[in-house]
Structures are given as structure tokens and as C-alpha cells.
Amino acid sequence: MPNMSDYSTTTAAIIQQAKSIEDTLPIRNDACRSKFFFHPHPTAKVFLFFHGFTAGPYQFEPIGQKLFDAGYNVLVPLQPGHGVAGNWNGNNPPPLPTEREIYQEFALSWLEVAQNLGQQVIVGGLSTGGNLAGGLALEHPQQIEKALLFAPYIGGNNAIVNLIVEFVPIYYEWLNKDNPGNFGYDGFSMPALRLFLDLGQEITDRVKNHLAVPMFIICSESDQTINHSELQDFSRATIKQQSKSWYHSFDKFFEIPHTMMTKAEGNKYQNLLITVAKAYIESDITWTEVMEIGYQILQGKSFDTAVKKLNLSEKVSQHLSVMLAVMNKKMIIDYYQL
């Protein structure tokens, strides 16, 4: 833990350096600027979040603010090649990196920064940002407490699209580019996305054999971007390798899209998502124990009674009751029939 004078100097330098770099880009708009939520002192937990592909730090502003209010430091840095002002199109695509090493070095440099701001570092990310967070957790488990992967892009939902991403160097425009909540790029060149598909496959393969950092995979049945079957297999592997990993998929009822982090990008249940994330952040129990609490509730017990009966009162966040309330009950039943 750094002393107070070093800490104050460090946080001021982080903010100033990010501003200086982004001023020279020039930045596309203020929503794309790096977001920092710093307390005047080191905190017990520090969150490092990576935004989605072609997007910006604005995606993690709502959850960043909530976690700051809960007493934690939060960093959401702008990724390389993102958020740059310009007249980008098929003839002049945005300057997104096509080499994974650029992103990996970026992620590692920010992990080293985050370590100076508190006791435990928790990494997270949306979509391709989830890939970065997952890869970082696999490479540097001693420095990371937990990982939150929001709809990680470990595989696309359409085989033809996957082939296009893998082999065809075309320019693609997002179908939702005119969404008022989208402050990032309207499109991109496929090779810039291809590296994340490859990274996602690599992460999937590695998790099957070894995982030291607990991961929470959060997704939505309404998400038409990711491959749900592959993500379920990935989640089962994370739980098998690391018992304190969790998995939650929001029911189609909620109509939560791939861009799940903000109301502006289509998630009407933004605060529910944050509550589910906090259930994991503030709990210290295994997936089996989550299922046991859920099973007790299905037997008619209240959440508090179930937690007390299982002697988990000191390890469980009250937010878990909300997650169990919206969880697919069939998942709990099936777990006990295996």
C-alpha cells in the first residue's frame, strides 16, 4: 500500500498523463476520454475496466460511479487506437491496432498502475474488453483478485460472420451506429477485430487446463453477438478450474443487448446488472455454495435463512438475493440432478 503523499502524486499523474495524450489525438469526444474515479486515499479494492471494441470508457461510467460510491477506486482507460477524431470510413478506417501485443502491453501497463492504488485489483471488461481482462488474469494471477467478464467475445454467434472476421479484410459498419448512446466509431476494418477472436479462442483453450483467478461471466440471452453455447462451455470450465468462479445469463425477458453496460446503449436494467456484479464482488463463496443457497430458497426458505443455515452469513453479499431472484431456476434444479 503506497503512503499518502506517493498516492496523491500518483493519482494526479495518472489523470494528467491521460489528458495530455488524449488532447494530442485529438479525442473524438469527451465521452471517449479515460474515466477515473479516485478516492483521496488507497482503497481495499481497485477496479480496472476495459471497454468494448470501437467504443470508449463511457461504457463503464455507470458501474464505475457506483463502485466509487461503494468505496473503491476505478480506472477505465481509453484503449489504443480508440476515440480518435476523424472522418473514418471504408477508404479511411479508424486507426485500430491489428496486433494483439499492443493491447496486451496496454493492459499490463494499466494493471501495474492499478496496483499502486489499493490492496486488491479486480479486472473486468465488456466484449473484447472481457478478452483483455481474461487474458490478463491468466497471465498475471498473482496480481489479480477476481475478473468480471461481461459478454466476452470468445466466439461469434454466426459461423459465416466468424469466417468473414477470420479471413476477409473488409470494412464493416455497425448496424446500431446511429444509436445515441454510441460515442465510438461507426465501423472498423475486420483485421482489427480478428485478433480478439483469436485471443478469445486462446483464452478458452487455456482455461480448460488452468485458472488461478476466479471469474464471473455475465451475459444475456438476448445478445445476438456472442456464441452462447461456447460461452456456457467456457463458464463451466472456469467453475471446474476455479470453484469461486460464477456464471449468470439474463433471461430474454430483460432484452439486454450485447452493449449491456449502459441505459444509453440499450440496457434498461443497467442498475440490475450493476447489482449482480456487486453480488460477486462483495461475496467470497463458491459456485456450489451459490447453488446451495438457491436450492434452499426453492425449498421455501428466505434468502437470509438459507445463508444462515449454510453458515455463509459473513461471506455473502445481500446483493446475491437479487441475482438469485432473477436467475433461471432450471439452472439450480439441473445442478442438483447432475
Side-chain angles (χ1 to χ4, degrees), residues 48 105 107-117 136 140 143:
L48 172 60
E105 290 171 8
L108 178 57
S109 69
W110 280 102
L111 174 59
E112 292 169 350
V113 169
Q115 286 182 279
N116 293 317
L117 304 178
L136 201 60
H140 304 279
Q143 296 154 270

Side-chain angles (χ1 to χ4, degrees), residues 240-256:
K240 181 179 180 180
Q241 293 294 330
Q242 173 43 258
S243 63
K244 291 184 179 180
S245 291
W246 292 10
Y247 169 77
H248 180 71
S249 181
F250 286 101
D251 188 271
K252 284 186 177 180
F253 166 82
F254 296 103
E255 298 181 339
I256 296 175

Side-chain angles (χ1 to χ4, degrees), residues 63 114 217 244 325:
I63 192 172
I217 290 86
K244 291 184 179 180

